Amino acid sequence: MGAVRQDVATLGAGWNKTLLNYALAMRALDELPISNRNSWKFLGAMHGFDEELWRGEELIGTGPVPADLTNGTYGDQCQHGSWYFLPWHRGYLATFEAIVAAKVKELTGDDWALPYWNYLDASNPEARKVPAAFIADKLPNGDPNPLKTYPRRPGLSALQPGRRDAFSLAAAEETDFTVDGGIGYGGGITGDFIQFGNWTGDIENNPHNTVHRLVGGYMTDPRLAGLDPLFWLHHCNIDRMWEAWMRAPGKKMTRDSRWRDGPADRLFLMPQLGGADPGITFGGSDTLTGGRFHPTYDDLTKGTGVVPGAVAVARVGMGPSHQQTVEPIGANAGAVSVGSKPESSLVTLEPQATTAGVAAMGATTPGAKVSRFYLALEAVRGQAPAPQIDVYVNLPEGADPDAHPELHAGNLTMFGLNVASRPHGRHAGNGLGYTLDITELAQRLKQAGDFDPSKLRVTLVPGEHVSDQQPITVDKISVLKRTGTVS
Amino acid sequence: MPRAATLRSFAHPPWRALFVAAGCGLVLSACGMATATVPLLCRSSAISELTAANAADAVALAIALNPPGPLMAGWALMLLAMMPPLLAAPLMHVWRSSLPQRRQGSLALFLIGYCAVWMAAGPPLIVVAVALHMLGGGSLWVTFSLVIMALVWSACPWQRAMLNRGHRQMRISLFGWAAAGDCVRYGVVHAIWCVASCWPWMLAAVAVQDWHLAAMMAVGAIMLGERLAPPEPPRWRWPALLRAIDPRSARAPLQGLLRHG
């Protein structure tokens, strides 16, 4: 774990040594049977596994599935929609890196570290391009390219986000890892092993989820995503963003024992190098500085949205996370279903609480009460693995959404919605939850005289993977008020 | 780590308040109200003599000799002693989904719905427990058999399906009568799945004649363990109690042996 992880764009064009070694190791690991805990497919199935789907995709034969993947130990562990998203994936990356590095050593004698795909590096005009080695048909020696084995969006050569896609470094502006009530950089609080929890953190929605959808193919489905070798470079970059965020002054990482210990009802478990028992169990504290899974990166500045060591807080601090409050101040009247057409819903607001919140929105005086507003989409359910919607506030009826970017509240890619919606899945079919910060939008509306403290009109515009055949339902749209003290 | 982490998580809200509530229920059960608890139904010598001749008459006599008021009060205390820790997740959902000024009322409405269902479930469970004891002549084998039945129930896929359903959260409206109605409805629906998943264990707790308080605590802990286990696809599995005693049983191939069971 001592190797330094580098930007893949700095390692040389085409088949540089790091990516060639990655391909050779992947080919060797993918030839191992899935019963081998260090095999490529076993590692992929640790993220998500569905026997029927994997047999349908001919990823496994007709033989028995290893018990490790179905008995609540190694298989199907990925954590999304909660504050375990970042630490679990950090442990997962470190385990994968150690196994691949050992295979590279065995095959070539070289040292190896997992590179990251720095797709939001503004200083690199080609940052969004998929590294050429992942889309080449052949290895330098003419053999088929293992890095291209698993399907992606047809013709993919670069990430091509739409105008409204959540593909930015906006998550870095958040100051708190988590605030009770579903708001924060890292995701909502839980003490349980929940693969898809109630509240998605800012970094998970943007850019993590968006990149999964933009790459397409297996990357859109958490049950298959871990098989794509690009997955690991993507998550390595997300992990680097987290490391940069933690090191920036003004950012408040959680110290909650439930996070540090890991879930109470099931262990996070990774295989040893070689796969022998016992596996490696860990909690959040193992992923922080000094922990066994803590990584080292060559750079924490480019494409992270923060500058370590510099005050990079773009908004006022709101005091200690545990002293902030989050309360609902508005909600719509019933569930909303979105198919191929936009759907609007009226959100009734509690005028007194809203007016008080509006008055405190722009507070900057230390010690003064300060508020932020969030639009919450609760218990979102659907059958597609990564559907996308845009959310607008006070969009006039019948208006073209594209003509009103000033009313755009946010864009959501609901990675894993299919898994979170299964009635007998790990999440009991409770679906996913999202919060969108609409403070600046509310301020704009207020300045334009278009903010009514008694109601908001919310419009959900379907995007990719949402249709009448695969609609999404939102149980409740509410407005949350987060209150703290200017610090 | 999970057991220690579980215990540490109990230090966070709302667990402490819920364990305090359960403790109050236990203390009250141990005091005067305990005389109305269910096991004493079968202790009358007249009932015992009548049981041998006509079990149906004996059940009727037992009910007649035990007025429903104290009996249901005893049942309510039993619920108070055993159920609060099971309600952590739904209570937090109701709390967070309600306007701050309505939160206490929302919790009360949820609990009204929840308790109404459990109070309705009490009489049938009591009658069955009494009948089984009379048919079994008060033998310990009756209790033993009920525990075995509860363990089998905890292993079966139907119980898992009902536990999964109980984890489902419902929409809670924010304003007016809709908010009140949603809280009551959520309490009722949650209780229905709670009864459906727990009834064999509650029946076993009701049927225990001696060490009744200890049985209540043990059954309460078992039900809490089952409730804290993460949802999973329904299939045959080792009961939570056995998994807690020996975690290796979680990996044993029960599901393979009983896959088609």
Side-chain angles (χ1 to χ4, degrees), chain A residues 121-459:
Chain A
D121 179 7
S123 66
N124 176 9
E126 305 210 322
R128 295 181 184 183
K129 282 191 175 177
V130 178
F134 288 86
I135 50 179
D137 290 328
K138 304 284 185 185
L139 290 172
N141 66 2
D143 288 348
N145 179 10
L147 300 181
K148 201 187 174 188
T149 303
Y150 297 107
R152 303 189 185 108
R153 183 184 292 269
L156 177 77
S157 60
L159 299 176
Q160 294 181 307
R163 273 180 300 155
R164 298 188 303 255
D165 278 6
F167 185 66
S168 70
L169 298 170
E173 292 178 17
E174 174 56 60
T175 52
D176 296 80
F177 189 77
T178 193
V179 178
D180 197 6
I183 291 166
Y185 180 84
I189 294 173
T190 177
D192 298 333
F193 184 103
I194 300 180
Q195 275 196 289
F196 290 88
N198 281 336
W199 295 108
T200 302
D202 291 355
I203 185 72
E204 185 179 346
N205 181 53
N206 173 19
H208 166 265
N209 285 1
T210 306
V211 171
H212 270 279
R213 177 176 53 78
L214 293 175
V215 171
Y218 278 12
M219 278 279 274
T220 60
D221 193 324
R223 299 168 298 173
L224 299 166
L227 292 170
D228 190 330
L230 259 181
F231 169 94
W232 303 94
L233 277 70
H234 165 41
H235 266 278
C236 193
N237 196 39
I238 297 295
D239 187 76
R240 186 181 67 102
M241 290 176 175
W242 177 34
E243 185 66 18
W245 182 90
M246 276 194 290
R247 293 191 184 203
K251 307 299 187 187
K252 285 164 277 184
M253 188 58 207
T254 183
R255 295 177 180 174
D256 193 300
S257 63
R258 291 169 294 182
W259 185 89
R260 297 178 66 85
D261 293 342
D265 53 353
R266 178 179 160 182
L267 294 163
F268 291 158
L269 180 65
M270 295 293 154
Q272 301 262 16
L273 195 58
D277 284 326
I280 304 166
T281 59
F282 70 101
S285 58
D286 295 304
T287 66
L288 300 178
T289 303
R292 73 166 85 189
F293 290 140
H294 185 255
T296 305
Y297 289 100
D298 64 338
D299 178 79
L300 294 175
T301 306
K302 293 178 181 174
T304 60
V306 295
V307 180
V311 176
V313 181
R315 55 174 79 153
V316 299
M318 300 182 72
S321 305
H322 66 278
Q323 289 179 6
Q324 297 176 38
T325 60
V326 178
E327 62 189 63
I329 59 168
N332 68 341
V336 180
S337 180
V338 185
S340 59
K341 294 177 183 170
E343 295 290 338
S344 295
S345 186
L346 191 68
V347 174
T348 304
L349 299 171
E350 207 285 299
Q352 201 172 346
T354 305
T355 303
V358 168
M361 261 194 310
T364 55
T365 308
K369 187 175 279 190
V370 60
S371 294
R372 298 192 73 82
F373 288 104
Y374 296 81
L375 204 57
L377 274 59
E378 302 180 32
V380 186
R381 299 186 181 93
Q383 297 310 311
Q388 175 202 24
I389 61 165
D390 281 291
V391 184
Y392 286 82
V393 172
N394 285 0
L395 185 71
E397 194 168 353
D400 176 11
D402 283 337
H404 292 280
E406 78 283 5
L407 301 177
H408 188 228
N411 172 277
L412 299 170
T413 291
M414 298 159 175
F415 179 64
L417 190 66
N418 54 342
V419 176
S421 302
R422 290 186 300 191
H424 295 301
R426 297 279 182 208
H427 195 35
N430 280 318
L432 296 171
Y434 298 89
T435 53
L436 293 169
D437 190 336
I438 57 168
T439 310
E440 278 71 34
L441 174 54
Q443 284 175 323
R444 285 201 301 274
L445 291 172
K446 183 187 167 196
Q447 286 162 4
D450 191 23
F451 187 85
D452 183 342
S454 66
K455 63 178 185 291
L456 284 177
R457 177 186 163 88
V458 176
T459 303

Side-chain angles (χ1 to χ4, degrees), chain B residues 132 144-154 199-201 203-204:
Chain B
L132 288 173
F144 181 73
S145 302
L146 287 173
V147 170
I148 295 297
M149 183 186 75
L151 281 170
V152 172
W153 175 247
S154 290
W199 66 267
W201 284 112
L203 185 60

Side-chain angles (χ1 to χ4, degrees), chain A residues 192 198 258, chain B residues 9-10 12-19 82-96 107 110-111 114 166-167 169 186 190 194 223-224 227-228:
Chain A
D192 298 333
N198 281 336
R258 291 169 294 182
Chain B
S9 73
F10 289 155
H12 295 271
W15 290 103
R16 270 183 289 194
L18 296 173
F19 281 118
M82 300 170 75
M83 296 304 171
L86 307 188
L87 297 177
L91 289 177
M92 288 303 287
H93 177 58
V94 171
W95 179 268
R96 288 184 173 133
L107 293 183
F110 171 86
L111 290 172
Y114 182 83
H167 282 290
Q169 294 174 340
Y186 185 32
H190 188 76
C194 192
M223 292 192 302
L224 179 60
R227 197 61 57 89
L228 292 178

Side-chain angles (χ1 to χ4, degrees), chain B residues 149-233:
Chain B
M149 183 186 75
L151 281 170
V152 172
W153 175 247
S154 290
C156 78
W158 302 287
Q159 195 235 18
R160 184 65 259 173
M162 290 165 188
L163 282 171
N164 289 350
R165 190 62 186 77
H167 282 290
R168 185 86 56 86
Q169 294 174 340
M170 291 177 65
R171 177 195 159 90
I172 306 290
S173 296
L174 203 57
F175 302 106
W177 288 106
D182 286 349
C183 290
V184 175
R185 191 176 305 114
Y186 185 32
V188 168
V189 171
H190 188 76
I192 287 171
W193 295 112
C194 192
V195 171
S197 59
C198 307
W199 66 267
W201 284 112
M202 288 302 285
L203 185 60
V206 167
V208 171
Q209 294 201 40
D210 299 312
W211 299 95
H212 187 61
L213 287 178
M216 283 165 56
M217 291 173 69
V219 168
I222 290 167
M223 292 192 302
L224 179 60
E226 291 185 339
R227 197 61 57 89
L228 292 178
E232 59 181 348

